[in-house]
Every structure is written in structure tokens, then in C-alpha cells.
Amino acid sequence: MTLYILLALASLPDAMVPPMLRDLFIVRYGVTEGAAHWFMAVNLIGAACVVPILARLRRTTAPTTLLAVAAAINGLLLALLAFPIGFTGSLVLRVVEGAADLVVFALLFDLIVKSGAAATRGRRLGMASALLMFSIGGGLALGGVIGERLPILVFVGGAVACLTVAVVACTSAGPIDTLERITQVPIARSTRLRVARQLWPTMSMAFADRAAAGLFIATVPLFFVSQLELSPSQSGGLLAVTMLVMAVSSWPAGVLSDRFGHFQVRIVAALCYAAAVLCIAGAAQMTVLMLVGVMAVIGLAGSALMPTSMALATRSGHGPVAIGALHASGNAGFFIGIVGSGVLLEVLRSGESNAAAFPIVIAALAALHISITIVTTVAIMLRTRRAGNHITNTATT
């Protein structure tokens, strides 16, 4: 239970920032809306840089020590972000904070995997995923509420959450450090290339899903606050609706895909998801209640995307390698979703279509998701047909 509580606390800091993105950077430092996207993206650079040394850190440092140090560094960096250090200084700290953040989450998920029998591993990870989404949804709402009084409080609150993780990790060192260590076998380059060739449809799905997630981290909150003139608490609440519905629906969505087929459920869910995202582009003509409905549909359809893409990937027989490939392509999509949206927003707002900039960016990401769904659907159907013809030809010879 301690690990799940730590995971919930560690999820809060990043989730509290999006509703206050405009006040923290556009108003505070005078940067453009496109530039503000960079704050939500550059942490992925730090995360990517720390991955090569993470295995070595695990071999030489006790899990709780590494967890406590990473969480404490994360908390310290968040506290420094509350000071008026300028936008460039904020980006530099954010890169380092991204490295510490990845270490915290990697350790927590690793420890959760090793905290029980292998037969119940999926159940534990399912619980962790649902809790993660609940925590992110709560963080979005909390960020809007506490940041409305004073925007920098979201950094202070995030720092407190991280330091709490560090303290609890230290006090729970005995039970956590007794968990069995798992050594991961390096994958040969040729094997990675072969897996990539076989998994490109599902990797593309993960890329599209996470690119859309990047849209919701930066662009949509700015659209709600800047163009629709919603309050930060309303913006955070709308985003929280999506996360909470997604969290509640994740397990039923997995059951549904087992019943009717992962591929079939994935197609329906992806098309509904992209259509609902496209509806946000017309949010200026909607009431807040209508927006709540749209965000709920996004959460409901989105709840099936991750379990179905993972199920399709694991059918390849590559197990954890397939999941790792999905994670890597998803991170790339998340980065492109944030940065690409920011760049496109800057280009559009510099022209004559200033008022339509946000809707065009949102529609573009929805179109990207639909396009990838169509391409991957055709690819999987052709691959399935070829496999069926091969089996038929083999049987007749």
C-alpha cells in the first residue's frame, strides 16, 4: 500500500501545472503561448538523458536511497521554480527535474511489479495505472484551485508532495529494500530492429495516443483559459473529468476488449476519441456543460486505447520488449504533440488566422490520430489476411 500512496503523491506535481500554464509563464514572464509549451516538453529531454545510467544506479544504490534522493531533488527543483528565475532558467531546471522525475516513477513501478507474486502482476499494474490516472485528475483540479489564489503555489505544493515521497521512502527503507531485484537482459540491436519492423503499427498507435495527450497537457488548457476565458479552476476541472472517467473505465475497457477483440475495440475507441477531440475545436459555441460531456466521451474512449494497443503488441510474442517499444514511441509522440502544437500555434498566430489558431491546432492533432488509425488498421488487416493465406496454402500442400 505504501508504494501506491507514493505513486499517487509523485503524480501530483506535473498534473497541477497545466491549468496555471498561462499565469506561470505567459503572464509572469511575458513569453508567447507557443513558448509556454516548451516547459511541458523539455522535461522529456532530461528523462531521456538519465535512462542510460539508470541501470547502473540501480546496481550500486539501494532502491529507497535512490528513490529518496531523486524525490528530494525533484522537490528542491520545483521549489526553485517558484522563484522569479526567468523563463530560460525555468526551462533549465525543468530539464533536470525531468530526469529526477523519471527515476522516481521508474523505481516505483519497478517496486510495484516486484511486490507480489508474478501471477498477480497484471492486477497490481492495473491498480497502479488506475490510481495514477485518478491522481493526475485530482492534481489537475487541485492545481486550478490553489493556483487561482497564487499561481506559484502549484510549484510549492508539488515540492511538498515530492519531499513527502522522500521522507516516506526513508522511513520505509526496510520493507521496500527487501523486495527482489530484477536484472534486465540487454537487447541486441538486430533484435530491436526486428521488433520495430513487426510492431510498427502498434508503435504508431502509441505515438498517436501520446501525441493527443500532449495536446491536453499544454494546448487545451491554454485554449480554455486564453480563448474561452474559463477560470483556471474550470479548466482544471474539465481536464480532471477526462482523467477520472478514463481511470474508472480502464478496467471495464480491458474486459470489453477481451470479449469482442482487442483490434475491433481499438478501432471503435480510436475513432470515437479523435471525433471527440475534434469537437473541442468548436468549443467556443459550447456551454460548459456541453464541454463536460465532450471531455467525458474523450475519457471513455481513451480508456480503451492503452490496454488494446498493449494487448496487440504482446501478441507478437516479444513480451517486455514489445511494451518497451510502445513506451519509447509513446514518449516520442508526447514530445512531438507538445512541441508540434506549440510551433504550429506560433505560426498560425503570426498570420491572419489568429482567432482560429487554437481550433486549427486541435483539429490537426485529431486528424493525425484519425490518419494513423486508418493506416494502422489497413496494415494490420493486410497482415492478418497474408497470415491467413499462408496458413491455407501450407495446409493444402
Side-chain angles (χ1 to χ4, degrees):
M1 183 57 67
T2 300
L3 294 173
Y4 294 106
I5 294 173
L6 294 180
L7 181 63
L9 286 172
S11 307
L12 290 176
D14 274 354
M16 290 193 292
V17 173
M20 303 309 303
L21 201 58
R22 180 177 183 275
D23 293 294
L24 287 170
F25 300 106
I26 298 172
V27 175
R28 190 184 185 198
Y29 294 132
V31 302
T32 64
E33 289 165 330
H37 282 67
W38 278 99
F39 183 81
M40 300 307 301
V42 294
N43 64 323
L44 297 178
I45 298 175
C49 289
V50 80
V51 168
I53 65 171
L54 185 56
R56 180 178 299 177
L57 291 173
R58 283 299 316 270
R59 288 193 298 268
T60 58
T61 311
T64 49
T65 301
L66 188 55
L67 178 61
V69 170
I73 292 174
N74 203 350
L76 176 61
L77 293 170
L78 287 170
L80 291 174
L81 284 168
F83 290 92
I85 58 175
F87 186 62
T88 302
S90 297
L91 291 181
V92 172
L93 291 184
R94 177 69 166 167
V95 170
V96 184
E97 188 261 340
D101 195 49
L102 181 132
V103 172
V104 170
F105 276 96
L107 284 172
L108 286 173
F109 272 102
D110 185 45
L111 291 168
I112 287 172
V113 167
K114 293 185 278 187
S115 64
T120 59
R121 179 179 299 173
R123 186 182 307 171
R124 292 194 302 279
L125 288 175
M127 183 184 299
S129 298
L131 181 62
L132 181 66
M133 284 185 266
F134 274 120
S135 184
I136 292 173
L140 289 168
L142 182 62
V145 172
I146 68 173
E148 202 163 14
R149 287 178 171 270
L150 185 63
I152 62 170
L153 286 179
V154 298
F155 289 138
V156 176
V160 170
C162 289
L163 293 175
T164 302
V165 171
V167 171
V168 174
C170 289
T171 58
S172 306
I176 293 178
D177 285 343
T178 58
L179 295 175
E180 182 181 0
R181 300 178 68 89
I182 295 179
T183 302
Q184 298 198 3
V185 179
I187 305 298
R189 183 174 182 271
S190 59
T191 302
R192 290 200 302 267
L193 291 174
R194 185 172 66 252
V195 171
R197 285 195 296 268
Q198 294 176 358
L199 291 177
W200 76 261
T202 46
M203 290 172 67
S204 299
M205 292 175 185
F207 179 93
D209 295 343
R210 292 285 283 160
L215 184 77
F216 281 96
I217 285 295
T219 307
V220 170
L222 286 174
F223 178 50
F224 285 165
V225 175
S226 301
Q227 296 294 307
L228 304 187
E229 297 183 348
L230 300 179
S231 67
S233 59
Q234 287 176 315
S235 175
L238 285 170
L239 295 171
V241 167
T242 296
M243 295 305 305
L244 293 175
V245 171
M246 194 176 293
V248 171
S249 306
S250 291
W251 183 78
V255 174
L256 193 68
S257 66
D258 285 339
R259 174 68 178 82
F260 294 101
H262 305 301
F263 182 50
Q264 290 80 357
V265 171
R266 166 75 201 192
I267 296 172
V268 174
L271 292 176
C272 290
Y273 180 81
V277 171
L278 187 60
C279 288
I280 296 180
Q285 284 73 46
M286 297 182 189
T287 64
V288 174
L289 186 59
M290 292 170 65
L291 268 177
V292 169
V294 172
M295 300 301 281
V297 172
I298 290 173
L300 185 63
S303 67
L305 298 181
M306 181 181 292
T308 52
S309 60
M310 290 180 68
L312 289 170
T314 54
R315 288 198 321 199
S316 66
H318 293 291
V321 179
I323 300 302
L326 285 190
H327 183 69
S329 58
N331 280 346
F334 189 67
F335 183 82
I336 294 298
I338 295 177
V339 175
S341 296
V343 171
L344 182 58
L345 190 64
E346 285 288 280
V347 172
L348 292 171
R349 289 178 71 87
S350 65
E352 297 179 358
S353 56
N354 184 60
F358 278 106
I360 291 175
V361 171
I362 293 169
L365 264 293
L368 174 66
H369 200 280
I370 292 174
S371 300
I372 290 178
T373 295
I374 293 172
V375 171
T376 54
T377 297
V378 172
I380 291 175
M381 290 177 67
L382 290 175
R383 180 178 295 178
T384 302
R385 180 177 297 179
R386 285 197 298 269
N389 290 339
H390 175 70
I391 292 174
T392 302
N393 294 335
T394 302
T396 56
T397 56

